[in-house]
Amino acid sequence: MEKFILSIVNKRFIIFCISGLFTNGIGYAIFAALIWLNMNFLIANTISFLCAIWISFFMNSKIVFQINTKVKLRIYLIYIIFYVGLLLLSLLSLQFLVWVMHNIYMAQLVNIMICALISYLGLKIIFGIKK
């Protein structure tokens, strides 16, 4: 377990967290604004999630994982497929968290943290990062 934790917490992970704070901050602001406008929380989550992954792709490929070559169509498609799966997981976990916590805003914050860890591990594989 200790090796697993140490393999996750490194310089790249810290940069990922910083860029993730920015990306998820934008996504959360969109989510909160849509909830404030009385939109269904699952629809608001979908819209904010899609906006956040669009920003995330460019930040992760250039800043976090430092992919110097032009992003190939294959990587982009895998990225989209991965995030569609993560979106479905996010919707299910948000539904559950709202049911348990009874607070949409806090449930979304917890949901973001869960999805961020899964996202980091998945992106390491997508971008071919071994360490």
Side-chain angles (χ1 to χ4, degrees), residues 72-126:
K72 297 178 181 172
L73 180 61
R74 179 180 159 273
I75 291 176
Y76 186 70
L77 290 175
I78 292 170
Y79 187 91
I80 296 299
I81 291 167
F82 172 74
Y83 270 103
V84 166
L86 190 58
L87 172 60
L88 295 175
L89 177 65
S90 173
L91 292 171
L92 289 172
S93 65
L94 182 59
Q95 180 73 45
F96 175 75
L97 290 167
V98 167
W99 178 71
V100 170
M101 299 174 79
H102 304 288
N103 183 317
I104 294 171
Y105 299 101
M106 290 303 296
Q108 178 67 349
L109 287 174
V110 173
N111 192 40
I112 287 171
M113 288 185 267
I114 293 167
C115 290
L117 180 59
I118 295 168
S119 175
Y120 176 72
L121 297 173
L123 291 177
K124 280 180 71 172
I125 295 168
I126 290 170

Side-chain angles (χ1 to χ4, degrees), residues 9-131:
V9 180
N10 58 29
K11 182 181 176 183
R12 182 174 287 119
F13 181 72
I14 292 168
I15 294 169
F16 176 81
C17 288
I18 292 168
S19 72
L21 283 172
F22 174 75
T23 302
N24 286 308
I26 292 171
Y28 187 79
I30 293 168
F31 175 82
L34 294 173
I35 292 297
W36 185 76
L37 294 171
N38 293 319
M39 183 175 284
N40 175 281
F41 69 92
L42 295 175
I43 295 170
N45 183 52
T46 301
I47 292 169
S48 66
F49 193 95
L50 293 173
C51 292
I53 66 164
W54 184 76
I55 296 166
S56 167
F57 178 77
F58 295 103
M59 292 188 72
N60 286 323
S61 64
K62 301 296 182 195
I63 298 170
V64 177
F65 296 102
Q66 299 174 352
I67 305 300
N68 294 328
T69 59
K70 291 185 178 180
V71 178
K72 297 178 181 172
L73 180 61
R74 179 180 159 273
I75 291 176
Y76 186 70
L77 290 175
I78 292 170
Y79 187 91
I80 296 299
I81 291 167
F82 172 74
Y83 270 103
V84 166
L86 190 58
L87 172 60
L88 295 175
L89 177 65
S90 173
L91 292 171
L92 289 172
S93 65
L94 182 59
Q95 180 73 45
F96 175 75
L97 290 167
V98 167
W99 178 71
V100 170
M101 299 174 79
H102 304 288
N103 183 317
I104 294 171
Y105 299 101
M106 290 303 296
Q108 178 67 349
L109 287 174
V110 173
N111 192 40
I112 287 171
M113 288 185 267
I114 293 167
C115 290
L117 180 59
I118 295 168
S119 175
Y120 176 72
L121 297 173
L123 291 177
K124 280 180 71 172
I125 295 168
I126 290 170
F127 289 121
I129 306 299
K130 304 289 185 214
K131 294 180 181 180

